[in-house]
């Protein structure tokens, strides 16, 4: 496992815990941290034992306060065209592992966009989420204009983006921005319990289901149905499908092998 400057990573029982660790800057995502997240994702992706990636923030005050504003201050227009944060979050969304954002404290701008790129989001009673980029004269540029609208609907996304309002975890759950709202004390046990459910499933089926939902979401329904059908055909060719169906018939737990 690699050693990082701005991240803590730990692999435990199939879970890759990725902790953003710049609490003195509210875990603002500077170039170094983004590069390290990229490296960590490659590491997690390559590890067959890792099935779930949980992203959280160190320090208790912040998940991530967004892109590093000091670095944004000197960024030129053409530098904003590089894949950068948006490209990194695309990689995260395309990961074959299940990704969970555990949001405690601030998830603002690029920090909120990081959570939006995860498959599952959980917020605590201390969470504060928003896309305040317009306050800085820029727009959400790491998928926020697209993912937020797809997740909470265009009207709510426009309201949040145009006013820059910050909402709490309870409101985030009410509008569907996060799936679960828990107290700060319950956060770790909740993410572990969700990860535990995922770990019981066959990894190939997880990957195919994730692919079908993400890739099918943005295209016409007929083509999306074919994505589902073809993904299902791949699942039917796996030993895990034989094992999963057999285990049901034999009234025992399935032992999936990832093949
Ligand atoms: C750089 C940041 C930072 C950020 C906080 N800090 N957020 N530094 N970039 N995004 C630093 C502060 O400068 C300060 O450093 C230290 O962290 C503590 O911050 P405070 O403001 O004193 O803390 P607090 O009062 O608790 O307020 C926390 C906060 C506030 C609400 C999160 O810091 C804040 O509003 N931050 C900016 C949030 C934001 O606008 N995010 C969107 C960024 S744009 P010092 O050295 O003074 O102690 C974005 C674009 C993405 O994300 C797309 C790009 C492609």
């Amino acid at each position: 496992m690699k050693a990082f400057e701005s991240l803590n990573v730990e692999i435990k029982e199939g879970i890759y815990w990725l902790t953003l660790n710049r609490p003195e800057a509210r875990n603002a995502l500077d170039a170094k941290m983004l590069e390290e997240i990229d490296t960590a994702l490659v590491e997690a992706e390559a590890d067959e034992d890792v099935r779930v990636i949980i992203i959280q923030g160190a320090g208790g005050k912040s998940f991530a306060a967004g892109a590093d504003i000091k670095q944004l201050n000197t960024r030129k227009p053409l530098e904003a065209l590089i894949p950068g944060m948006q490209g990194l979050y695309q990689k995260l969304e395309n990961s074959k592992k299940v990704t969970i954002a555990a949001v405690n404290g601030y998830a603002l701008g690029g920090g909120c966009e990081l959570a939006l790129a995860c498959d599952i989001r959980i917020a605590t009673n201390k969470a504060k989420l928003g896309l305040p980029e317009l306050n800085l004269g820029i727009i959400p540029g790491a998928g926020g204009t697209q993912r937020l609208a797809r997740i909470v609907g265009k009207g709510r996304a426009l309201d949040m983006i145009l006013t820059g309002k910050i909402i709490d975890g309870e409101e985030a759950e009410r509008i569907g921005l996060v799936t679960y709202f828990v107290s700060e004390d319950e956060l770790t046990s909740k993410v572990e319990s969700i990860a535990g459910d995922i770990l019981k499933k066959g990894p190939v089926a997880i990957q195919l289901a994730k692919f079908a939902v993400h890739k099918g979401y943005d295209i016409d329904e007929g083509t999306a149905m074919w994505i589902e059908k073809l993904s299902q055909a791949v699942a039917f060719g796996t030993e895990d499908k034989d094992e999963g169906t057999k285990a049901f018939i034999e009234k025992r737990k399935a032992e999936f092998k990832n093949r």
Side-chain angles (χ1 to χ4, degrees):
M1 209 186 323
K2 295 219 163 52
F4 297 106
E5 248 175 58
S6 312
L7 305 179
N8 286 335
V9 300
E10 191 186 359
I11 301 175
K12 226 172 34 189
E13 291 161 15
I15 301 174
Y16 192 97
W17 291 86
L18 192 164
T19 307
L20 311 173
N21 190 25
R22 273 183 88 204
E24 69 290 352
R26 303 292 180 264
N27 302 323
L29 297 138
D30 64 356
K32 179 81 192 161
M33 193 191 275
L34 293 173
E35 187 191 309
E36 291 191 345
I37 295 172
D38 200 334
T39 306
L41 287 182
V42 171
E43 182 178 82
E45 204 68 9
D47 188 331
E48 285 290 313
D49 294 333
V50 169
R51 308 274 310 283
V52 177
I53 300 171
I54 296 173
I55 304 182
Q56 61 184 359
K61 288 191 175 156
S62 187
F63 175 74
D68 191 297
I69 297 170
K70 288 168 197 150
Q71 292 182 347
L72 291 183
N73 179 249
T74 56
R75 187 171 299 171
K76 300 283 175 271
L78 290 182
E79 289 167 343
L81 278 180
I82 60 164
M85 194 183 255
Q86 191 199 60
L88 176 64
Y89 295 178
Q90 294 275 95
K91 280 191 202 171
L92 184 65
E93 190 172 85
N94 288 331
S95 166
K96 61 185 178 198
K97 318 291 182 180
V98 177
T99 55
I100 304 177
V103 177
N104 190 33
Y106 295 104
L108 302 179
C112 185
E113 291 172 299
L114 175 60
L116 290 170
C118 290
D119 299 317
I120 297 170
R121 284 164 291 286
I122 304 168
T124 71
N125 55 309
K126 276 178 64 188
K128 302 266 178 220
L129 303 100
L131 294 176
E133 281 93 337
L134 270 66
N135 294 334
L136 304 168
I138 57 170
I139 71 167
T145 60
Q146 303 310 306
R147 289 199 182 94
L148 185 64
R150 282 162 172 76
I151 290 169
V152 303
K154 194 157 80 166
R156 287 197 165 112
L158 279 165
D159 177 40
M160 281 186 71
I161 292 168
L162 298 178
T163 65
K165 75 178 181 192
I166 311 287
I167 61 172
D168 61 23
E170 200 169 7
E171 172 76 351
E173 190 221 24
R174 193 184 67 77
I175 67 170
L177 202 169
V178 301
T179 317
Y180 301 99
F181 171 64
V182 295
S183 73
E184 189 183 14
D185 297 344
E186 293 167 323
L187 182 61
T188 304
S189 61
K190 184 68 189 173
V191 282
E192 281 177 344
S193 135
I194 295 169
D197 287 341
I198 292 160
L199 288 164
K200 289 181 200 134
K201 313 287 184 285
V204 187
I206 287 271
Q207 191 184 343
L208 290 168
K210 193 178 150 167
F211 169 79
V213 172
H214 282 303
K215 298 300 168 198
Y217 198 78
D218 295 331
I219 57 176
D220 68 283
E221 196 179 318
T223 314
M225 289 296 185
W226 268 106
I227 287 188
E228 182 186 84
K229 189 60 75 200
L230 295 172
S231 304
Q232 181 72 302
V234 173
F236 267 76
T238 61
E239 287 177 28
D240 283 353
K241 170 257 177 186
D242 297 339
E243 165 62 11
T245 48
K246 197 157 167 252
F248 176 83
I249 294 161
E250 292 172 358
K251 300 187 189 299
R252 61 173 174 81
K253 269 196 191 158
E255 302 254 344
F256 293 115
K257 297 276 183 336
N258 193 17
R259 50 178 187 256

